[in-house]
Amino acid sequence: MITSLLSAPLVAQQTTPLDFARDVRPILSENCFQCHGPDDNARKAGLRLDRREGALADLGGHAAVIPGRPDKSELIARITHRDPSERMPQQKTGKQLTPEQIATLRRWIEEGAQWSEHWAFVPPQRPALPRVVNRSWPRNAIDHFVLARLEQRGTRPAPEADRSTWLRRVSFDLTGLPPSLAQIDAFLADRTPAAFERVVDALLASPRYGEHWARSWLDIARYADTDGYQYDRERTQWPWRDWVINAYNQNMPFDQFTVEQLGGDLLPNATVQQQAGTGFNRNHPITIEGGVIDEEYRTEYVIDRVVTTSTAWMGMTFLCARCHDHKYDPLSQREFYEFFAFFNQVPERGLQGFEPRIAMPSKEHDDAKLALATLEATVAKASATLRPQRLAWEKSLVAKRGADPWVVQDPAHPTASSGASLEALPDKSFLASGGDLGKETYELLIRTDLTNITAIRIECLTHKSLPHGGAGRASNSNFVLSGFEAAARLAGSTQAHIPLKLASAVADYSQRNYEIAKAIDGNPGTGWAVDGPTRKEDRVAVFTPTRPFGWEAGTELRVRLQQHFGTGHAIGRLRVSLSTQAGVGIQAGIADFAATEEAARTPTQRRSLTEAFMKQAAPPVVRDDYLRIPALRKNVAATNARRVRLMVMRDLATPRKTHVLERGEYHRKLAEVTAGTPAALPPMAKELPRNRLGLARWLVSGQHPLTARVAVNRYWQAFFDTGIVKTAENFGSQSEYPSHPVLLDWLATEFVGTDWDVKRMHKLITLSATYRQSSKVSRRDAVRDPANRWLARGPSRRLDAEEIRDQALMVSGLLIDKIGGKSVFPYHPKGLWMEINNRPGYSRPYPHQTTPDHLYRRSLYTFWKRTVPPPTMQAFDAPEREFCVVRRSSTNTPLQPFVLMHDPQFVEAARHLGARMMREGGKNNRQRIEMGFRLVTGRRPSPSERAILAGTVTRRLALYRQDSAAAARLLDVGVSKSGKPLDRAEHAAWTAVARLLINLSEAVTRG
């Protein structure tokens, strides 16, 4: 029976003419093109077999292919030659044609050697729906194409999957998470025809949809949270990851998705978000290792973009043409570097090439800017009404012009720390001497009848007794004033001195990086410095309080000068003066500005007059608002500094020249080239710019034969585990021929025709009868179609690494439902980072995180270190993210159940799931088992399954009643508590059951 079933399609196939693209080209590509293909330099004997004219060409009285005459064709003669040294392919290639392949080539020539271009390079045409016998089965157009092939092969579709299975399948495929019990119950209760569509619409609308679908794009984009290479330090590209999540959730059309990632910065008036999209091509590894050749690594980054872009959008392996013409596909080395030119204009470096970057928006920064703008508007509005007062104030300044604004003070009882003394001199200055020249503090007490005091002046005077005759006590005569404080009170008052808040300070000279303002910043490690040996003249500093001070009955002013910067860097001679004039400084320039005609004032003069008026003469309410502005400006600057800087694409103002590189070596430049696309593909429209934006629009023009096919094939792969083209990363000559080529073209044209609507395409697939089939495989189909390429049954696959972990977090109730943000640090083997990637001075140990927002976020947000990817996810085949990956492997290894049973995050999830079953499942074991089983598998357990789990509860409970230490070991894993304390032995027993459930094959499989 099986033999007859197997032979039937083979007999039918013999009566159908061969298809060159499907049956013949793959044989030639695999075995012949390396020596007789597109690469001119590698071609042997002048024979080219990737073009019809080459295969039929006269080679001196003979030809490789003579249509209809295989016995006269040199191709057949050479592949069947008795002499191994003459037989093709040559032995040194390690390739050998099978009898079936030889028979196919012979038959092809007999049938006339019909030729066609490689199917992937021919633009897809909209096919008509094929006729089917079973008209009741199809639910949409997809099913017509699938069923037609099944009927041709004499087989039937599988029965429809039960509703629980389909719901779990579609929930994982659209959101990466299992359905909740409420979702399961609601769907099972909804028997209306629209029930399936309602579920799909709800899943597509869920924010979890964007998180799930972004994950596969991160693989393609080689996204990681570190730079890679030797030091592998942290980077902040996570805002781009969030951009992808939002793009999927907003159902950004795929053509826009393409344009913004490849050329968003080149769009007119590009927004920050459009620029952020170009982070796609800044996700590559970047070296910070000293000693590297800058241009060499910059070239590698550009080549990485060529390879990633061509793979992501065209399914083409461009990298083969880096060093020579492609040996299999019609892509020359020159064309490789013409494509390279699109990405060669970024103003980046090879070493530490982190620029260009943009600051991403933040609510903190936006709020700070709004507060500043609001206050500035308030002050501007108020100051507009103060023009008369301001003019009067300016006149008063002019009237006082020329008079000395300073009144020298005669402090009483000056003191100095460290045993030093302050000697009064006739000019009311004080000379410091003695002491151990430690960290000095001078304190001066001044009594004055001046009122409305606007400034305090400190003169640091030279003296012949000081080193080098300068103004400082240090051996080199310099000094550093690390702190200046002033406080005032009414003379005779018992009230303590009230500190004067200083608004600003100016000095006639400051050593570089030691400005006078640093003397009032509250930091003893900074201060105003004067370089003594080169500055032997007097030095002056003026301190301005935020508002004038002084009372009619007299004021007592206490001035403290702190000199805590190093040893001996103290002032040697000083004098204090006070002023009551507004706007005084080192020079009495404000009065000069006021004397200048208003129209003739410079911006600096106008700004200085405004500042002086607002501080000294404006009404208190306006003055207070004005004085708050600097603090708000500082806050704006501080919040701006905390904004995340995202690496993005940008082009040089002057284009960089691009050359073909001999053997792909960065310094061996050959012919200069300009940006262009391969000749084997449709040309770019003339109106498109020859830059990345033009390239992106070329890819999604609708005329490109690859873009839509590649995209829908990856979607199909996500839903059915294998793409219609199995080699999703390669649509070139060495690709696998599509299992359903007409369906692939229909999907591609449908995708373009519906404006590249991604969610619509996903909905179309998930609502098809093809997708709704049961995944149970019959013995017959297991033999005839083990890989399910004919789609005679529903898709079944092992869950991806992230889905396995996220499911455990969700069913246990631990999952944190938060979108986006910085990457987090869940459980991780202790010391692994330092063991594998320990670079002294550069590496840091894995952060020890105990907060739920780090431990229980979705796996999408796990910090991804390229040299040490999350080991739990690596056990389930997650890639390293070193390069573009469009198809993950799926293995089954003993390490996987070990991880599920012993990894702390899974043990902790089991503990919480056990607690859920105890608290929410009901009072008896049957109800609790059913709840836990449904949470993990989406269905109710069978009687035998229920019995096994019930026996486990009984045995484990008895064990943990006797062995409390064993229960403690199980329950103490992880940091999160399971709510209100439970009976420990019983909780441990249910935790053991939960561990079994999480470790079920069915739990880690989507059927």
Side-chain angles (χ1 to χ4, degrees):
M1 181 64 180
I2 293 177
T3 303
S4 63
L5 288 170
L6 284 171
S7 61
L10 294 176
V11 172
Q13 189 174 356
Q14 290 292 330
T15 62
T16 305
L18 291 172
D19 182 287
F20 176 80
R22 180 191 65 211
D23 304 316
V24 179
R25 181 183 285 272
I27 299 174
L28 298 177
S29 177
E30 176 64 24
N31 298 281
C32 308
F33 284 4
Q34 184 172 352
C35 299
H36 304 291
D39 188 350
D40 291 337
N41 296 320
R43 192 172 303 129
K44 304 293 177 61
L47 174 62
R48 182 170 186 176
L49 291 175
D50 67 315
R51 289 280 183 263
R52 186 174 191 275
E53 57 272 21
L56 273 57
D58 185 345
L59 300 176
H62 61 278
V65 174
I66 301 176
R69 304 181 68 182
D71 292 336
K72 297 294 184 181
S73 298
E74 187 69 14
L75 173 65
I76 301 300
R78 295 304 296 271
I79 65 176
T80 60
H81 206 290
R82 291 184 178 183
D83 184 350
S85 65
E86 295 292 328
R87 189 184 307 136
M88 293 293 170
Q90 293 181 332
Q91 286 181 314
K92 65 181 181 182
T93 66
K95 298 177 179 180
Q96 184 176 355
L97 292 175
T98 66
E100 291 78 12
Q101 290 173 324
I102 293 173
T104 296
L105 293 176
R106 178 181 290 276
R107 182 181 161 204
W108 167 62
I109 296 174
E110 287 175 346
E111 291 178 354
Q114 297 299 314
W115 200 281
S116 62
E117 294 300 316
H118 179 53
W119 64 268
F121 299 156
V122 179
Q125 300 298 315
R126 180 76 167 181
L129 295 186
R131 294 181 179 181
V132 295
V133 176
N134 183 4
R135 297 182 181 178
S136 64
W137 187 75
R139 293 183 178 276
N140 59 34
I142 290 173
D143 302 324
H144 284 269
F145 294 99
V146 173
L147 183 58
R149 290 296 303 276
L150 292 177
E151 290 179 344
Q152 289 172 8
R153 294 180 176 274
T155 190
R156 294 186 300 274
E160 188 170 302
D162 66 78
R163 290 165 67 92
S164 295
T165 297
W166 178 86
L167 179 62
R168 188 170 186 270
R169 176 188 299 171
V170 76
S171 294
F172 269 112
D173 283 349
L174 290 181
T175 67
L177 293 169
S180 66
L181 294 182
Q183 290 172 319
I184 295 172
D185 291 338
F187 177 61
L188 295 180
D190 186 353
R191 310 305 297 186
T192 64
F196 289 84
E197 185 173 4
R198 271 195 286 272
V199 167
V200 171
D201 286 342
L203 292 172
L204 291 172
S206 168
R208 292 167 170 175
Y209 167 85
E211 290 179 311
H212 175 62
W213 280 88
R215 179 176 56 81
S216 60
W217 195 253
L218 300 189
D219 284 355
I220 292 170
R222 68 273 191 248
Y223 168 85
D225 294 297
T226 60
D227 294 327
Y229 291 109
Q230 180 179 2
Y231 297 115
D232 201 20
R233 299 185 73 177
E234 184 172 349
R235 63 169 51 165
T236 53
Q237 282 298 95
W238 58 263
W240 175 82
R241 176 246 289 150
D242 290 355
W243 182 94
V244 177
I245 295 171
N246 292 332
Y248 275 107
N249 277 335
Q250 295 165 9
N251 197 25
M252 180 183 287
F254 187 77
D255 58 343
Q256 182 183 346
F257 186 71
T258 298
V259 166
E260 293 195 11
Q261 288 187 89
L262 293 182
D265 59 304
L266 300 173
L267 290 167
N269 303 313
T271 66
V272 171
Q273 287 301 318
Q274 287 171 329
Q275 295 176 65
T278 66
F280 172 87
N281 262 322
R282 296 303 307 283
N283 282 318
H284 56 81
I286 294 175
T287 185
I288 64 169
E289 183 182 356
V292 302
I293 300 173
D294 190 77
E295 180 64 10
E296 179 181 11
Y297 277 83
R298 191 196 68 79
T299 301
E300 293 301 322
Y301 304 160
V302 180
I303 288 174
D304 176 278
R305 293 180 191 124
V306 171
V307 173
T308 300
T309 301
S310 61
T311 303
W313 275 275
M314 292 187 284
M316 291 285 289
T317 54
F318 273 27
L319 184 60
C320 298
R322 171 181 180 169
C323 303
H324 49 72
D325 291 349
H326 205 296
K327 294 187 182 298
Y328 302 101
D329 292 325
L331 179 70
S332 68
Q333 186 185 21
R334 181 183 182 88
E335 288 173 326
F336 177 90
Y337 287 99
E338 288 173 346
F339 203 84
F340 178 102
F342 286 112
F343 303 99
N344 195 31
Q345 307 307 321
V346 185
E348 66 183 336
R349 298 177 55 196
L351 175 63
Q352 300 193 23
F354 305 116
E355 299 298 334
R357 291 188 283 191
I358 58 170
M360 296 302 292
S362 76
K363 187 177 186 303
E364 178 191 41
H365 182 59
D366 291 343
D367 290 347
K369 288 196 299 182
L370 178 61
L372 174 62
T374 301
L375 185 61
E376 286 179 332
T378 300
V379 170
K381 184 177 180 180
S383 63
T385 66
L386 299 177
R387 182 173 174 78
Q389 295 95 313
R390 176 169 173 166
L391 291 175
W393 172 77
E394 289 181 3
K395 288 181 180 178
S396 69
L397 289 181
V398 174
K400 298 177 182 178
R401 190 178 176 206
D404 185 356
W406 296 105
V407 179
V408 177
Q409 302 299 301
D410 188 5
H413 310 298
T415 61
S417 64
S418 304
S421 62
L422 294 175
E423 176 189 356
L425 300 181
D427 62 352
K428 299 183 180 180
S429 67
F430 291 87
L431 180 66
S433 62
D436 61 6
L437 284 181
K439 294 182 177 180
E440 305 288 311
T441 298
Y442 302 159
E443 191 168 285
L444 310 174
L445 184 64
I446 299 168
R447 293 186 177 90
T448 179
D449 289 330
L450 294 175
T451 60
N452 199 39
I453 300 168
T454 59
I456 306 168
R457 182 177 68 175
I458 303 296
E459 294 177 275
C460 303
L461 307 174
T462 60
H463 195 272
K464 62 183 180 180
S465 67
L466 296 172
H468 303 287
R473 298 185 69 196
S475 60
N476 59 1
S477 190
N478 70 356
F479 65 81
V480 179
L481 179 62
S482 60
F484 177 85
E485 299 173 2
R489 70 178 178 184
L490 184 65
S493 171
T494 58
Q495 185 179 7
H497 283 82
I498 300 173
L500 297 176
K501 194 172 182 180
L502 300 176
S504 62
V506 292
D508 63 341
Y509 169 79
S510 295
Q511 188 176 321
R512 184 177 180 183
N513 297 324
Y514 292 88
E515 295 80 13
I516 183 61
K518 292 181 179 178
I520 59 173
D521 64 0
N523 181 3
T526 64
W528 173 48
V530 172
D531 190 358
T534 58
R535 302 286 177 178
K536 296 182 181 179
E537 60 271 23
D538 300 342
R539 290 295 160 215
V540 181
V542 176
F543 298 91
T544 307
T546 56
R547 64 185 66 189
F549 68 95
W551 296 271
E552 291 182 3
T555 297
E556 189 174 276
L557 175 67
R558 188 181 300 276
V559 175
R560 177 177 295 170
L561 291 87
Q562 297 172 324
Q563 300 157 101
H564 293 176
F565 191 94
T567 301
H569 292 163
I571 298 170
R573 179 185 172 203
L574 71 153
R575 183 167 59 189
V576 180
S577 303
L578 301 178
S579 177
T580 60
Q581 288 192 20
V584 295
I586 298 305
Q587 300 172 345
I590 295 296
D592 294 336
F593 298 162
T596 305
E597 290 291 331
E598 189 170 2
R601 292 171 185 169
T602 67
T604 299
Q605 291 173 336
R606 286 195 293 269
R607 189 164 49 250
S608 298
L609 279 166
T610 298
E611 181 178 2
F613 171 74
M614 296 299 288
K615 287 181 177 179
Q616 308 298 337
V621 174
V622 179
R623 179 183 62 217
D624 290 348
D625 282 346
Y626 180 81
L627 294 175
R628 286 172 52 212
I629 288 176
L632 292 187
R633 285 177 177 161
K634 184 181 292 186
N635 189 41
V636 168
T639 56
N640 180 60
R642 289 194 291 269
R643 290 163 70 191
V644 173
R645 264 61 181 176
L646 175 69
M647 291 188 292
V648 295
M649 296 288 279
R650 191 173 299 146
D651 279 1
L652 291 162
T654 302
R656 180 187 284 121
K657 291 182 179 180
T658 300
H659 297 81
V660 175
L661 301 180
E662 184 178 358
R663 303 297 301 170
E665 297 182 27
Y666 73 97
H667 61 294
R668 300 175 67 179
K669 297 180 179 180
L670 300 177
E672 184 177 344
V673 296
T674 57
T677 55
L681 297 171
M684 289 180 68
K686 292 182 179 180
E687 64 271 15
L688 291 178
R690 266 45 183 178
N691 57 19
R692 287 179 286 106
L693 180 59
L695 176 67
R697 296 200 185 283
W698 171 71
L699 286 168
V700 293
S701 64
Q703 305 303 312
H704 200 291
L706 290 167
T707 309
R709 280 185 177 131
V710 168
V712 298
N713 186 68
R714 275 203 298 267
Y715 300 152
W716 194 270
Q717 174 182 273
F719 291 111
F720 290 91
D721 197 36
T722 303
I724 296 174
V725 179
K726 183 177 181 180
T727 53
E729 69 285 350
N730 187 359
F731 273 52
S733 294
Q734 291 207 298
S735 65
E736 182 179 284
Y737 192 76
S739 61
H740 295 72
V742 185
L743 171 58
L744 180 63
D745 283 1
W746 186 89
L747 290 170
T749 54
E750 179 75 4
F751 193 35
V752 175
T754 54
D755 298 325
W756 305 87
D757 190 327
V758 177
K759 286 189 177 182
R760 186 183 183 280
M761 180 58 61
H762 293 175
K763 181 175 180 178
L764 187 70
I765 294 173
T766 54
L767 291 179
S768 68
T770 304
Y771 182 80
R772 282 170 62 166
Q773 294 178 96
S774 169
S775 61
K776 294 179 180 178
V777 58
S778 67
R779 181 177 297 179
R780 182 188 70 168
D781 286 344
V783 174
R784 300 180 72 193
D785 186 18
N788 195 28
R789 301 309 310 282
W790 300 352
L791 302 170
R793 58 185 181 273
S796 178
R797 64 176 177 87
R798 198 212 65 208
L799 298 176
D800 284 343
E802 294 89 341
E803 294 173 304
I804 292 171
R805 178 176 175 273
D806 293 350
Q807 174 183 233
L809 293 176
M810 182 175 179
V811 300
S812 65
L814 288 170
L815 185 66
I816 301 292
D817 195 9
K818 175 185 174 184
I819 304 292
K822 288 187 67 174
S823 296
V824 297
F825 301 90
Y827 294 116
H828 193 86
K830 186 177 181 180
L832 185 61
W833 272 18
M834 302 304 288
E835 180 179 337
I836 295 179
N837 187 254
N838 185 2
R839 304 286 183 246
Y842 289 92
S843 301
R844 65 161 175 161
Y846 188 85
H848 179 64
Q849 300 292 351
T850 58
T851 55
D853 61 333
H854 277 261
L855 291 176
Y856 312 127
R857 295 289 306 279
R858 285 196 73 168
S859 301
L860 172 76
Y861 304 114
T862 296
F863 189 93
W864 207 280
K865 187 177 181 69
R866 290 187 207 266
T867 53
V868 195
T872 296
M873 288 193 269
Q874 273 206 300
F876 291 96
D877 306 306
E880 294 179 348
R881 301 265 176 81
E882 295 275 357
F883 46 81
C884 171
V885 173
V886 301
R887 180 170 52 138
R888 288 190 183 186
S889 60
S890 182
T891 63
N892 290 299
T893 70
L895 183 59
Q896 292 167 355
F898 182 86
V899 168
L900 292 174
M901 290 295 287
H902 299 290
D903 190 302
Q905 54 200 331
F906 288 104
V907 177
E908 185 176 34
R911 186 175 77 244
H912 280 260
L913 176 57
R916 275 194 78 182
M917 289 190 281
M918 293 176 68
R919 292 194 179 101
E920 304 172 28
K923 295 184 178 180
N924 60 59
N925 288 359
R926 178 189 178 95
Q927 292 173 329
R928 292 175 176 180
I929 288 171
E930 182 163 303
M931 176 195 174
F933 197 91
R934 292 183 74 207
L935 278 170
V936 174
T937 69
R939 65 175 178 87
R940 299 181 189 278
S942 67
S944 61
E945 291 167 334
R946 190 180 294 112
I948 291 172
L949 293 173
T952 301
V953 172
T954 302
R955 290 190 300 273
R956 289 287 173 168
L957 182 57
L959 169 66
Y960 295 132
R961 292 279 188 222
Q962 295 177 356
D963 189 350
S964 59
R969 286 194 298 271
L970 185 60
L971 296 178
D972 291 342
V973 174
V975 300
S976 178
K977 304 305 178 185
S978 305
K980 188 177 179 181
L982 299 165
D983 179 271
R984 288 182 68 80
E986 188 177 8
H987 188 188
W990 283 103
T991 298
V993 171
R995 291 177 79 190
L996 290 178
L997 292 176
I998 290 174
N999 198 38
L1000 288 174
S1001 174
E1002 187 174 349
V1004 297
T1005 303
R1006 194 275 285 132

